[in-house]
Amino acid sequence: DNGYKMNNADRLRELLEKKPLLRIGGAFDSMSAKLVEINKFDAIWAGSFAISAIRALPDASILTMTEFLNVSASIVESCKIPLIADCDTGYGGPSNVSYTVQKFEAAGVAAISIEDKKFPKQNSLLKNGNQELISEKDFVAKILAAKDARINKNFMIIARTEALIAGQGIKEALNRAYAYEKAGADSILIHSKSKSPEEIFEFSKQWEGTVPLTVVPTSYPDVSIKELEKNNIKMVIYANQSLRASYFAINKLLEEKRKTHQKKEENELLGFESTLHDLIDTFLVDVAWEFKDLKSYRQRLGWWKDQLGDIVLEEITPTMIESKITLLKKLGKKPGTINRYLSYLQGAF
Ligand code: SPV
Ligand code: MG
């Protein structure tokens, strides 16, 4: 890409135009976001549930706007793909929404989502949670404030209606969605806690608006990509699966470790060969010099040799590096990982 970093909001718009369906992976910090990027999702979702959970707090408007912003800002710093930030209710009224948009856009976030629930809100999937909505008019005011505050017109304001979550039915959801689109929303996020995608598809079938529809299929995970595409869904957000996977994995490891205090479970559960190197590669080295390919690495190796003589190459010789590369290839490592490993070696000099 000639080193030009495209604006994330522009990139997200471009992706929306080019692809039939964008797949957006949930993250809660830079490491999980990096994994979303490495696994080739189109964009990252920084969800309020996951970000609250890693602070051992409920998803109930406890953390402040600034705390959510800090997480998003560090994800943007670490990743090259666009980030969509879950901004809950916008942290207050229209003025708070306006300030939120200014801060998130300035941090390099590509889009924010705001929802029509009453502040403080509770998680949409919480059993017996309070899912009270604010009036359509009051939420429209928030969308207007958000649109007015953004600088780049490609910075998306995703309006999320919780009408289905609140049990108010498809008609109410549609009415709100039309009002939100009219106010300038760039996408409608239609959320559901139903175990099947039927009500979402009923909504999308009746939807005559023009902005793209976004869904979060946590409660109906069996839905296929084909079905989503066929039903006119343009963005699918896997909101909290990464959080649940890490919670599950850490817990399992710790349980086993406490029982056995042995190394075996580490190797089995943590994939010693691959995971350790991945972590070293990905997170140590992306901040070090970058190597585009082996050729440029060799060139640089030559450069060092010229500069520093043989001392540099006493410990790590080109032959050693070649054999390490052969091993990494045998382990099924992708070229990107191998290049990062080379960068890591460079750090060792
Ligand atoms: C989140 O990930 O924080 C979301 C989606 O908003 S949900 O948890 O389903 O409310
Ligand atoms: Mg949320």
Side-chain angles (χ1 to χ4, degrees):
D1 58 7
N2 296 327
Y4 168 67
K5 195 174 176 203
M6 194 175 181
N7 176 283
N8 283 326
D10 296 343
R11 189 183 292 269
L12 185 61
R13 287 281 192 177
E14 190 184 75
L15 284 169
L16 259 174
E17 270 159 35
K18 277 195 188 150
K19 290 183 145 185
L21 175 75
L22 300 193
R23 303 180 68 181
I24 297 150
F28 43 83
D29 61 9
S30 293
M31 184 185 81
S32 53
K34 205 70 192 151
L35 289 172
V36 171
E37 176 183 289
I38 288 168
N39 283 290
K40 299 203 165 21
F41 283 79
D42 298 300
I44 302 156
W45 166 259
S48 62
F49 171 33
I51 294 169
S52 304
I54 62 156
R55 298 281 295 272
L57 288 167
D59 182 16
S61 302
I62 309 287
L63 291 174
T64 64
M65 184 273 267
T66 313
E67 288 171 298
F68 283 113
L69 174 69
N70 288 341
V71 174
S72 279
S74 65
I75 291 176
V76 170
E77 279 171 20
S78 333
C79 295
K80 297 184 183 80
I81 60 173
L83 171 66
I84 301 173
D86 173 9
C87 288
D88 280 346
T89 60
Y91 314 108
S95 304
N96 304 81
V97 171
S98 172
Y99 186 58
T100 297
V101 168
Q102 290 173 47
K103 299 296 278 185
F104 277 76
E105 185 177 10
V109 169
I112 63 158
S113 162
I114 49 173
E115 66 197 52
D116 56 7
K117 282 225 291 268
K118 191 173 166 208
F119 176 91
K121 65 93 205 224
Q122 294 181 357
N123 184 273
S124 307
L125 306 175
L126 184 68
K127 267 195 200 123
N128 308 317
N130 177 8
Q131 306 295 345
E132 199 180 332
L133 307 187
I134 61 170
S135 74
E136 181 187 295
K137 184 169 82 25
D138 284 345
F139 194 65
V140 160
K142 291 193 190 187
I143 297 171
L144 293 174
K147 292 288 286 193
D148 201 44
R150 70 179 180 177
I151 295 168
N152 180 349
K153 69 175 180 6
N154 283 339
F155 180 85
M156 286 174 61
I157 308 298
I158 301 172
R160 162 170 164 180
T161 182
E162 295 275 289
L164 298 178
I165 296 285
Q168 297 195 8
I170 288 176
K171 200 159 170 287
E172 176 66 13
L174 281 165
N175 286 343
R176 283 176 175 260
Y178 287 126
Y180 301 164
E181 181 183 43
K182 208 167 152 206
D186 302 291
S187 169
I188 299 294
L189 194 165
I190 176 73
H191 203 10
S192 162
K193 57 184 173 190
S194 168
K195 291 212 161 61
S196 100
E198 270 163 48
E199 65 174 3
I200 289 290
F201 292 162
E202 192 51 46
F203 177 96
S204 68
K205 209 163 76 194
Q206 292 188 40
W207 170 246
E208 288 174 354
T210 56
V211 299
L213 296 180
T214 302
V215 299
V216 182
T218 308
S219 63
Y220 50 99
D222 292 335
V223 71
S224 73
I225 289 294
K226 264 212 183 91
E227 282 176 294
L228 291 170
E229 281 183 16
K230 225 173 61 197
N231 285 277
N232 199 25
I233 305 302
K234 295 292 290 180
M235 295 198 273
V236 56
I237 298 172
Y238 305 99
N240 54 42
Q241 288 80 354
S242 315
L243 170 77
R244 281 149 56 204
S246 52
Y247 176 85
F248 176 82
I250 294 168
N251 203 31
K252 189 163 177 58
L253 180 274
L254 292 173
E255 260 176 40
E256 298 285 321
K257 188 110 198 108
R258 196 182 63 84
K259 268 190 262 164
T260 68
H261 177 70
Q262 273 172 12
K263 200 166 87 211
K264 186 170 147 281
E265 78 277 7
E266 266 174 40
N267 292 347
E268 279 171 8
L269 290 167
L270 303 184
F272 181 79
E273 278 290 356
S274 53
T275 319
L276 183 75
H277 282 300
D278 270 6
L279 284 166
I280 292 171
D281 291 354
T282 309
F283 305 123
L284 249 187
V285 209
D286 274 4
V287 291
W289 292 291
E290 243 179 71
F291 285 93
K292 293 284 179 230
D293 51 35
L294 193 51
K295 196 166 143 251
S296 79
Y297 178 74
R298 285 212 186 89
Q299 278 166 4
R300 293 226 198 176
L301 209 59
W303 181 84
W304 283 326
K305 199 168 172 163
D306 290 345
Q307 296 296 310
L308 302 165
D310 289 337
I311 314 154
V312 164
L313 300 178
E314 254 172 28
E315 284 186 20
I316 302 173
T317 64
T319 320
M320 282 164 67
I321 291 167
E322 293 294 348
S323 75
K324 185 72 193 175
I325 289 166
T326 311
L327 175 69
L328 289 169
K329 279 184 182 156
K330 236 197 263 166
L331 286 168
K333 290 288 167 193
K334 298 190 190 100
T337 307
I338 294 171
N339 286 338
R340 286 196 302 275
Y341 179 75
L342 291 175
S343 309
Y344 169 62
L345 284 185
Q346 184 187 27
F349 279 107

